Amino acid sequence: MSRRKRKSAAIRFEPFARAAAELGVFAFTALIGLAALFAYFASDLPDPAGLWREGGGPSVTLLAADGAPIMLQGVAQGAPLRLSQLPDHVPEAVMAVEDRNFYHHFGANPVSIVRALIVNANEGAVRQGGSTITQQLAKNVFLSSDRTIKRKIQELMLAFWLERKFTKDEILTLYLNRVYFGAGAYGVDAASYRYFGKSARHLSVGEAAVLAGLLKAPSRYSPTSNPEDSGKRGRLVIEQMVTAKFLTRAEADTAIAAPVLLAAPRFEAAPYFVDHALKEVRALTAGVDADFIVRTTFDPRVQAAAETGLLAGLAMAGDGLTGVEAAAIIIDGEGAVRGMIGGRDYTRSQYNRATQAKRQPGSAFKPFVYLAGLTRGETPDSAVLDAPIEIGAYAPGNYKDKYYGEVSLREALARSLNSAAVRVQERTGRAFVRETARRMGWAGELTSGPSLALGVDAVSPLQLATAYAPFANGGFRVAPHVIDRIETTDGDLVYQRKGSIIEEAAPASAIAETNDMLASVVVWGTGRAAAVPGYRVAGKTGTSQESRDAWFAGHAGGLVGVVWLGRDDNKPMDNITGGRAPAVIWREIFSRALPPATYSPQVPQRDDIDPIAAILHAGG
């Protein structure tokens, strides 16, 4: 080819070369731009490796003693369930309305995305998402609910990561255990307990449809607050299940015809117990990096009895309780905490008076004085002088300065006579009284002075209940506890309680005699207001100086209960004594916590004492 022709050809191809070079530069620039855009959207993405532990730390699922999830200050996380543990219609109901093609896409549904883009473009804002279950999981676990383009792109990026990392069954399992169903319930198991009072393992088709219908708008379709719309939405879900071929027409008609019954809300008022349990969980799992499922000692029936009983008792107790706080603790004979009230209103004060507040128990300490005496050879019928007494500068007086002369130990305890209790202590020996109290489980300080007998050493309601537990179990010291078992979500055992009996606290004969005397307290003494029909109640009233604290502590039917009333600032109450409001509250709690009795217990009587006069006289 001649030089002229080569030059001519070069001239002809020059525009193409220039275009190719410009295209290359554009492509390179575009790649850089896309990389920068990707980096921008990924810059604040959370680490997906934390999928099984959102929130930056271990998750803790608290279960009641019966296996039901406990509400966590208005929020419940159910026990994680695998798909194999659920009826097929539970995940099918969710897929029917949320993502019918879940098993056939790669994390996003292009058709839904295009439709959403058109709607959003017309609206000029993000109005529709077109999200798959995978995208919803990414959003619920990792992202905020902001409806922005950036958040949607991040949602897609995380959805693709999830599809590569997990199987479809794993993604659906995660979704069902994390998604919000309203009313504070996260996860299908918590929602099932919240609305139907049972595990998701036992949901019917209709119940599963109601839960699936909640996902679109939990408040709007709540079966508790909006049952009509919830029912319509549930029927729509069932129809969608037919369209998706998850149900036959006949199965759908049967499901629609079957009634869906709601259960009463549970556990929403046990935040004090939850706080205390979580503190114990942290101590028992220190150093273990995992998510935990914790079986607690919590008994919903006992807790409900405590809450209702407190309200009823306060109403019956009358005036004078304005500004007065309350606490109640119920444990069994092995120290397991079955119910707990740490205050009258958790939303106003999270301070747990049942476990944290230490106050003087007053005469509620006296049973340990008499137990020590009985252990040293006294009997309930032994005589003691009830008259003014002075020990050095210490000169305790009786309630309203009334004295009875020579009385039996039984009468001294039933009437809560201070001078008689001090005399029993002095002839038994203070050191032995302190030793007896400690062997019973007393956890606080104990004075060495003569005022020991009158309960001047501060103790919490839980500590007092623990020390009373040997009276209920035959004389054995126990360790109070709220946790029975801790496992990781993978099934590894972290902690298992192996019994709570520590040692014999006192001779069985002395325990029986003290219980006999404590029963007299309730039959004709200062604690008469605590009597529960059909049950042998053994307990003691307690009132500290100037009515700063008022108590009733006792046991019946295998349960031990302590009720305390007082002011947080420790100021005196208006003539509140342990034999009045606390005893009434105790009775109202235990009459609900215990099953109806079918017998009348035999308890010691006193024909020569007017029980009404005894109540009005003795302050406890």
Side-chain angles (χ1 to χ4, degrees):
M1 180 180 295
S2 68
R3 187 175 182 179
R4 180 182 290 275
K5 289 181 178 180
R6 285 197 301 271
K7 185 177 180 180
S8 176
I11 292 173
R12 287 198 303 273
F13 285 104
E14 185 176 342
F16 295 103
R18 188 181 302 113
E22 291 175 351
L23 182 60
V25 171
F26 175 80
F28 181 71
T29 303
L31 285 174
I32 293 176
L34 286 173
L37 189 63
F38 181 87
Y40 167 72
F41 286 119
S43 62
D44 57 351
L45 276 177
D47 180 8
L51 177 64
W52 296 98
R53 192 177 301 127
E54 82 275 28
S59 68
V60 179
T61 299
L62 293 181
L63 305 179
D66 63 359
I70 301 176
M71 300 294 286
L72 300 179
Q73 300 174 21
V75 177
Q77 183 78 40
L81 297 178
R82 299 180 179 87
L83 285 184
S84 60
Q85 296 175 291
L86 294 169
D88 290 342
H89 52 256
V90 173
E92 288 172 349
V94 172
M95 288 188 291
V97 290
E98 294 297 320
D99 189 359
R100 193 178 305 170
N101 296 313
F102 171 71
Y103 280 97
H104 307 291
H105 60 62
F106 52 87
N109 188 329
V111 175
S112 297
I113 291 175
V114 171
R115 181 172 59 246
L117 287 173
I118 294 173
V119 172
N120 295 338
N122 291 334
E123 295 288 338
V126 178
R127 302 297 186 191
Q128 196 174 104
S131 295
T132 63
I133 282 177
T134 311
Q135 289 174 266
Q136 291 182 46
L137 177 63
K139 178 185 69 175
N140 290 338
V141 174
F142 299 119
L143 302 171
S144 70
S145 58
D146 296 338
R147 302 176 70 86
T148 64
I149 296 297
K150 178 181 178 181
R151 206 271 297 157
K152 290 299 295 182
I153 293 176
Q154 289 180 324
E155 179 185 292
L156 278 172
M157 292 167 65
L158 287 170
F160 295 152
W161 182 91
L162 290 171
E163 291 282 345
R164 291 197 307 272
K165 183 71 174 178
F166 301 103
T167 67
K168 286 287 188 178
D169 282 355
E170 289 173 333
I171 292 172
L172 187 55
T173 297
L174 285 165
Y175 178 81
L176 290 172
N177 283 291
R178 295 292 182 83
V179 72
Y180 184 57
F181 287 89
Y186 286 86
V188 67
D189 200 49
S192 183
Y193 273 110
R194 172 63 181 84
Y195 295 112
F196 306 118
K198 60 184 177 181
S199 171
R201 296 176 178 89
H202 310 300
L203 286 171
S204 68
V205 173
E207 292 164 343
V210 168
L211 292 187
L214 283 167
L215 298 175
K216 181 178 181 180
S219 297
R220 177 180 174 185
Y221 296 116
S222 169
T224 55
S225 60
N226 200 349
E228 184 175 352
D229 283 352
S230 176
K232 291 178 180 178
R233 178 69 176 167
R235 287 190 290 275
L236 174 63
V237 172
I238 292 175
E239 294 299 334
Q240 293 293 324
M241 293 175 73
V242 173
T243 303
K245 302 189 184 307
F246 293 141
L247 294 177
T248 65
R249 182 71 260 169
E251 290 171 334
D253 291 341
T254 300
I256 292 173
V260 174
L261 303 178
L262 299 179
R266 305 172 73 189
F267 319 138
E268 290 184 334
Y272 293 106
F273 180 94
V274 168
D275 286 351
H276 184 69
L278 290 175
K279 182 179 179 180
E280 190 165 316
V281 169
R282 286 192 291 270
L284 293 172
T285 60
V288 181
D289 183 21
D291 292 339
F292 304 109
I293 301 175
V294 180
R295 182 66 66 101
T296 74
T297 60
F298 182 80
D299 187 327
R301 182 179 58 82
V302 173
Q303 181 69 27
E307 293 167 4
T308 306
L310 175 64
L311 293 176
L314 289 171
M316 293 178 182
D319 300 329
L321 294 174
T322 303
V324 172
E325 267 298 345
I329 192 83
I330 302 95
I331 68 175
D332 66 17
E334 295 187 353
V337 177
R338 299 303 184 186
M340 177 186 294
I341 296 176
R344 295 177 68 171
D345 188 349
Y346 182 85
T347 61
R348 294 180 59 187
S349 172
Q350 291 78 53
Y351 180 58
N352 191 339
R353 297 156 189 84
T355 62
Q356 296 173 286
K358 294 186 177 182
R359 308 290 283 265
Q360 293 182 341
S363 295
F365 182 81
K366 288 177 181 175
F368 305 112
V369 175
Y370 289 96
L371 175 63
L374 295 169
T375 304
R376 282 281 173 91
E378 303 265 17
T379 72
D381 296 322
S382 295
V384 62
L385 178 63
D386 178 47
I389 184 174
E390 292 184 10
I391 303 175
Y394 184 64
N398 280 354
Y399 185 67
K400 294 188 177 180
D401 292 324
K402 183 173 179 61
Y403 298 90
Y404 289 82
E406 189 173 276
V407 296
S408 67
L409 265 60
R410 180 191 304 281
E411 184 172 349
L413 182 61
R415 289 187 181 277
S416 199
L417 305 177
N418 291 339
S419 65
V422 172
R423 282 190 168 88
V424 172
Q425 169 186 270
E426 294 303 292
R427 72 193 192 192
T428 301
R430 294 176 210 162
F432 189 65
V433 170
R434 290 198 300 272
E435 179 186 340
T436 299
R438 293 202 183 283
R439 286 183 63 85
M440 290 288 283
W442 186 276
E445 297 292 329
L446 287 170
T447 182
S448 59
S451 61
L452 170 69
L454 303 187
V456 297
D457 298 292
V459 69
S460 73
L462 177 58
Q463 289 173 327
L464 186 59
T466 301
Y468 265 66
F471 290 127
N473 67 22
F476 296 92
R477 181 183 174 188
V478 300
H481 60 281
V482 296
I483 306 298
D484 276 337
R485 182 182 178 90
I486 302 176
E487 295 179 348
T488 68
T489 52
D490 294 329
D492 296 328
L493 182 64
V494 176
Y495 169 81
Q496 175 70 61
R497 173 162 286 276
K498 292 180 171 61
S500 303
I501 302 298
I502 298 175
E503 62 179 357
E504 185 180 51
S509 58
I511 290 289
E513 288 177 323
T514 307
N515 274 326
D516 199 44
M517 295 165 62
L518 290 172
S520 296
V521 172
V522 178
V523 173
W524 51 268
T526 61
R528 189 169 180 268
V532 178
Y535 280 92
R536 183 177 190 261
V537 176
K540 185 67 187 75
T541 57
T543 309
S544 66
Q545 290 291 323
E546 297 182 298
S547 292
R548 297 178 189 275
D549 305 278
W551 304 73
F552 188 87
H555 67 92
L559 294 178
V560 180
V562 170
V563 172
W564 167 86
L565 294 181
R567 299 186 189 278
D568 285 340
D569 58 10
N570 204 32
K571 291 182 178 179
M573 294 182 289
D574 185 14
N575 199 32
I576 303 297
T577 66
R580 296 181 180 179
V584 172
I585 293 169
W586 197 98
R587 178 195 68 213
E588 293 303 309
I589 290 175
F590 270 67
S591 64
R592 292 165 171 82
L594 298 173
T598 57
Y599 68 97
S600 296
Q602 297 298 313
V603 287
Q605 303 282 343
R606 279 294 304 268
D607 296 332
D608 59 330
I609 290 181
D610 179 2
I612 301 298
I615 295 172
L616 293 178
H617 166 75

